[in-house]
Amino acid sequence: VIAVDVGGTKLASGLVDDEGQLTHRERTATPRHEDLDGEQLWEALVAVVDPVAEAAGGRALAVGVGCGGPMTPGGDTVSPLNIPAWRDFPLRDRLADRYGLPAAVENDAKALALAEGWVGAAAGVDDYVAMVVSTGVGGGIVSSGRLLEGAGGNAGHIGHVIVEPDGRRCGCGGRGCLEAEVSGLAIEAITGGPPADASPELRAHVGRLVGRAVASVAALLDLRLAVVAGSVALGYGDAFFDAAQNELDERARISFARGARIVRAGCGDEGPLIGAGAVAIRALSSAP
Ligand SMILES: [Zn+2]
């Protein structure tokens, strides 16, 4: 299948086989100039997907996409918060038309959750949450082996679990959401510098709040594994993961959540594309 990753900073594509192996990767920076229109962004996207489709030589069965939300259920149209050029952009049909293949579009964090369960740190686990802590905070939850959808396809938005009752204003309109406290954008706003320059104390604080959110999710959903990706979490390394695990140990006390673990995602920088491939394969296997 042809895998496509649409992000605020990069556009990427590759081929994913039925064992989750990724080949023929292409990528480019997401164009960002102010008067960028939707068609120009589309042209930039197909410039990285065309060579991959060509490399497939007619053997690809479907196109799968991981894309920032929000989107309509099923991904018919996408309006990624961090990509203003696309509002109600009909991404799925445009890809299906161009490549003559069935196409499926999914929230990027949910796609990552599929990748981690397929060939990553949650392989063989039926109940887990996968998270991305980078510019924003996203997540996807697998429960009893199924990716949770919710009424509008938005299940898993752990970034808006409240971790500080009197905390910072969140972009969603709420206050004290995890995303408002620990996203890369939040850290920049707090420190006035890039997230990579955060002090050891702040790195541990970010880990603690993520552990706090995971404790609530573990209790709510009867799960014992959180896999975490994203430049902030992975960049902060042990300072982040040790603090997150300590907080989780402290907070997750009910018997079925006790012993919950918070670990690094296993797919590395291939996760978004492997996840997009999983989205395509899932759509094929559920087709009539
Ligand atoms: Zn929020």
Side-chain angles (χ1 to χ4, degrees):
V1 295
I2 297 169
V4 180
D5 174 30
V6 177
T9 55
K10 73 172 196 310
L11 306 170
S13 184
L15 288 178
V16 175
D17 72 14
D18 58 0
E19 293 179 337
Q21 294 287 321
L22 172 65
T23 58
H24 298 88
R25 293 172 79 175
E26 298 278 342
R27 62 177 285 174
T28 190
T30 306
R32 295 205 67 90
H33 55 270
E34 221 155 70
D35 52 356
L36 183 76
D37 70 28
E39 289 307 314
Q40 290 170 316
L41 183 57
W42 168 252
E43 289 305 321
L45 181 66
V46 298
V48 296
V49 182
D50 281 356
V52 173
E54 197 161 315
R59 289 172 300 130
L61 298 176
V63 183
V65 185
C67 181
M71 61 186 64
T72 54
D76 289 344
T77 68
V78 301
S79 310
L81 266 188
N82 53 3
I83 305 180
W86 279 356
R87 287 293 172 267
D88 299 319
F89 187 81
L91 181 58
R92 193 178 70 177
D93 284 350
R94 294 291 294 271
L95 286 167
D97 287 349
R98 184 171 184 95
Y99 300 106
L101 294 169
V105 179
E106 181 58 278
N107 173 280
D108 49 5
K110 285 165 67 188
L112 185 80
L114 292 177
E116 288 295 319
W118 190 14
V119 292
V125 179
D126 278 344
D127 299 271
Y128 61 92
V129 55
M131 305 177 57
V132 180
V133 183
S134 59
T135 311
V137 176
I141 293 166
V142 169
S143 184
S144 302
R146 292 177 54 129
L147 183 66
L148 294 187
E149 293 295 335
N154 297 302
H157 268 67
I158 193 171
H160 303 278
V161 166
I162 293 158
V163 292
E164 294 279 26
D166 300 314
R168 295 165 45 79
R169 254 310 155 211
C170 183
C172 74
R175 186 182 285 286
C177 299
L178 183 64
E179 179 163 283
E181 304 289 339
V182 310
S183 69
L185 289 176
I187 294 166
E188 274 180 33
I190 292 166
T191 66
D197 292 350
S199 66
E201 292 74 25
L202 182 55
R203 291 167 185 236
H205 176 70
V206 166
R208 267 196 303 280
L209 294 188
V210 169
R212 189 172 299 175
V214 169
S216 291
V217 172
L220 186 66
L221 288 152
D222 189 4
L223 57 81
R224 277 172 297 281
L225 177 65
V227 303
V228 185
S231 56
V232 169
L234 298 179
Y236 289 4
D238 288 345
F240 171 92
F241 282 94
D242 291 350
Q245 185 66 59
N246 286 339
E247 181 77 5
L248 181 56
D249 291 345
E250 196 67 31
R251 302 267 181 185
R253 306 301 293 202
I254 195 163
S255 59
F256 60 81
R258 215 174 287 160
R261 291 178 306 125
I262 186 159
V263 303
R264 289 168 175 77
C267 292
D269 68 349
E270 295 188 343
L273 284 175
I274 295 173
V279 168
I281 290 170
R282 185 181 64 158
L284 282 174
S285 57
S286 66

